[in-house]
Amino acid sequence: MLSKELNGRLLTNDSNSASGQVRGVEVINMNEVAGALRPVVLPGEKLVVRLVKPGERSVAGIGFLEDGTMVVVKDGRAHLNEEVEFPSPMFCRPQRGG
């Protein structure tokens, strides 16, 4: 493995990859790095997001936080293409992937 020969590290986005660790190479998982860099948002904290499309429910609007997390804003459809402030719900971000 080239990274072992060069005394380097293996950078991956494959959360199931253990081949580097098995071969004695330090593995850096980009999904874990991205998760560690996401800001902590407490339930009830005010967030601002631009609503970019309608939600599946007739009154919802969908927007995306800076880190790519999708949020659905109740009663947001009337505010499409606008920035809206809303209280953060308690939500779970996926540990793997986007």
Side-chain angles (χ1 to χ4, degrees), residues 10-88:
L10 180 63
L11 186 64
T12 182
N13 67 350
D14 181 0
S15 58
N16 296 317
S17 178
S19 62
Q21 291 172 331
V22 170
R23 295 183 176 144
V25 175
E26 184 179 357
V27 176
I28 300 172
N29 184 300
M30 288 305 298
N31 295 320
E32 292 174 7
V33 172
L37 294 175
R38 286 184 176 147
V40 174
V41 178
L42 301 173
E45 186 175 335
K46 297 290 185 187
L47 297 174
V48 176
V49 67
R50 176 173 290 279
L51 299 178
V52 295
K53 64 182 185 176
E56 288 183 14
R57 296 195 176 161
S58 62
V59 295
I62 295 177
F64 297 89
L65 300 178
E66 288 182 11
D67 68 3
T69 302
M70 182 179 80
V71 292
V72 178
V73 178
K74 182 179 176 183
D75 299 326
R77 185 171 289 211
H79 301 283
L80 291 181
N81 298 312
E82 296 176 17
E83 288 190 352
V84 297
E85 182 178 87
F86 64 99
S88 168

